[in-house]
Amino acid sequence: AAVARYAAQRRAAVAAQFAGKVLVFEAGAAKTRSNDTDYMYSAHSAFSHLTGWGSAAVADSVLVIDARGAAGSIETTLYFRETAGRDSDEFFANPAIGEFWVGARPSLAQVASLLGLETKSLKTWPALRKALPDSDVLTVGSADSSKDDSGLAEFVSELRFVKDEFEIAEMRKAVAASVSGFEAVVRSLSRATEVE
């Protein structure tokens, strides 16, 4: 995706600011509207900004930036729940992840290629998280992150204030689409107000 290299630059900026830490960005869970119907899903802003994965993001995904490496080297991994395909018991039985219910989602390889990130199954994240010392981990996107005194949430929020060239181009496209829409309305006003 065109956003991939810009998202990588954003992750590098965050890793440089919080060197020596493991930075965890949770996309967040889907919210139930009623019974078995969810609201349209929207991932946490920091997660979307740092991955480049917007409206297609899978609920409960986790971006992990390990900035503990020497000489500023970072390891970045995106953990997400892949769809339970037709060959699984969950295809029909699990309405949260079964392909019959949620449709086909991209594979780990497809998302890795799209975003330029290493991807792993969300099933592997809990064991890794348990193995990490709490003193090394900073989290944004969870209920616990509301107690964040590290400044990570503030830093990633302020990082979104300064737009890169990709974001500026996207905003220009949105403005052009709005202008085009208003012009179409103005062209139609005379017909719309005609009295028969």
Side-chain angles (χ1 to χ4, degrees):
V3 69
R5 88 177 157 98
Y6 297 98
Q9 292 168 357
R10 299 168 195 159
R11 293 190 299 271
V14 175
Q17 182 70 25
F18 294 90
K21 296 292 183 183
V22 177
L23 312 172
V24 177
F25 299 92
E26 298 175 346
K31 303 284 189 264
T32 303
R33 181 174 180 179
S34 63
N35 299 324
D36 62 352
T37 305
D38 292 336
Y39 285 102
M40 184 178 288
Y41 182 69
S42 178
H44 190 279
S45 298
F47 174 89
S48 293
H49 192 246
L50 295 172
T51 60
W53 208 16
S55 61
V58 175
D60 300 316
S61 298
V62 179
L63 173 69
V64 179
I65 303 172
D66 189 342
R68 297 177 297 173
S73 68
I74 62 171
E75 290 182 27
T76 305
T77 308
L78 175 60
Y79 297 86
F80 73 94
R81 182 182 298 115
E82 60 273 45
T83 301
R86 295 172 188 266
D87 57 344
S88 72
D89 292 338
E90 295 171 316
F91 177 80
F92 288 111
N94 190 329
I97 63 171
E99 194 172 300
F100 178 80
W101 300 97
V102 299
R105 285 198 299 247
S107 69
L108 295 171
Q110 288 169 324
V111 174
S113 176
L114 178 71
L115 302 177
L117 284 167
E118 179 180 356
T119 57
K120 293 185 180 176
S121 173
L122 186 61
K123 294 174 190 171
T124 65
W125 168 239
L128 175 61
R129 173 59 188 98
K130 192 173 181 181
L132 293 169
D134 286 343
S135 59
D136 285 359
V137 179
L138 302 176
T139 304
V140 169
S142 71
D144 291 342
S145 65
S146 62
K147 301 177 267 185
D148 174 35
D149 59 357
S150 67
L152 177 60
E154 182 179 356
F155 182 84
V156 294
S157 181
E158 290 178 357
L159 185 63
R160 292 195 315 272
F161 288 154
V162 179
K163 304 301 181 192
D164 56 40
E165 63 187 61
F166 175 81
E167 292 169 299
I168 292 168
E170 291 298 299
M171 288 189 294
R172 286 185 175 144
K173 285 183 204 173
V175 169
S178 296
V179 169
S180 177
F182 283 118
E183 288 172 345
V185 168
V186 169
R187 283 192 303 273
S188 302
L189 280 178
S190 61
R191 284 188 321 231
T193 56
E194 286 177 1
V195 178
E196 292 186 17

